[in-house]
Amino acid sequence: ACFPTDAIAFGEVGLAGDVRSVSGMHRRLAEAARLGFRRAWVPAGVRGAGPVPDGMTVHEVRYVWEAIGHALT
């Protein structure tokens, strides 16, 4: 299976596979929604820090393998 074409994932990945926040997370989500993405995998803690675009489902993950597992189900 491939990563879904309507999905985006972003964040900084540490050597242990942990996913960390990067600057401008909500601006990135807004731009992704504008470009037609409907699902996003982001570092944990993002949803409570600002608005999520209408029509976008945001999955928070702590590790890369969590994002891969969610994307492939």
Side-chain angles (χ1 to χ4, degrees):
C2 297
F3 197 78
T5 58
D6 69 339
I8 190 166
F10 54 86
E12 180 181 301
V13 179
L15 293 175
D18 52 312
V19 180
R20 303 177 195 145
S21 188
V22 293
S23 65
M25 296 294 274
H26 291 282
R27 184 174 30 103
R28 294 170 196 249
L29 282 175
E31 183 65 11
R34 190 185 71 77
L35 293 171
F37 292 99
R38 296 292 165 240
R39 294 185 277 174
W41 282 268
V42 300
V46 169
R47 279 190 298 206
V52 172
D54 289 338
M56 179 171 276
T57 302
V58 175
H59 303 276
E60 294 184 321
V61 296
R62 295 190 187 283
Y63 297 96
V64 141
W65 53 84
E66 292 175 359
I68 292 169
H70 283 291
L72 298 178
T73 58

